[in-house]
Amino acid sequence: MIRLELEYFAQMKEIAEKSKEVIHTDLKKAEDLYLELKERYNFPFKGSRLRVAVNGDFVPWDYQLKNGDHVVFIPPVTGG
């Protein structure tokens, strides 16, 4: 089981009702982590509309998560 620090921005922060959390999980890929969080918080975004960053760098969805990683899912930006 690995420990991950998660941070949420924009709409994801509003929906989760928190900006950060620490979780312990057996999930190994960023994509699997997002799918679990999407179900938990009912995030409306498809993974294809998000970017994922780990420890400050954008990574591919198949990135292998490691103990202590800081993970941020970045939702699409809207505005006008």
Side-chain angles (χ1 to χ4, degrees), residues 46-76:
K46 294 181 179 178
S48 61
R49 302 230 26 225
L50 302 174
R51 303 238 10 223
V52 58
V54 176
N55 302 324
D57 294 318
F58 288 114
V59 297
W61 282 100
D62 62 352
Y63 175 84
Q64 296 294 306
L65 298 166
K66 299 172 189 69
N67 190 45
D69 277 348
H70 178 256
V71 182
V72 180
F73 294 102
I74 302 170

Side-chain angles (χ1 to χ4, degrees), residues 13-64:
K13 177 180 171 182
E14 293 172 15
I15 294 168
E17 298 181 343
K18 60 183 87 177
S19 61
K20 296 180 180 179
E21 72 178 315
V22 174
I23 66 165
H24 294 84
T25 183
D26 289 324
L27 299 173
K28 301 295 184 201
K29 292 192 318 185
E31 180 179 26
D32 294 337
L33 173 63
Y34 178 68
L35 292 175
E36 180 176 287
L37 295 170
K38 181 179 181 195
E39 184 174 317
R40 181 186 303 175
Y41 294 115
N42 201 23
F43 290 140
F45 311 109
K46 294 181 179 178
S48 61
R49 302 230 26 225
L50 302 174
R51 303 238 10 223
V52 58
V54 176
N55 302 324
D57 294 318
F58 288 114
V59 297
W61 282 100
D62 62 352
Y63 175 84
Q64 296 294 306

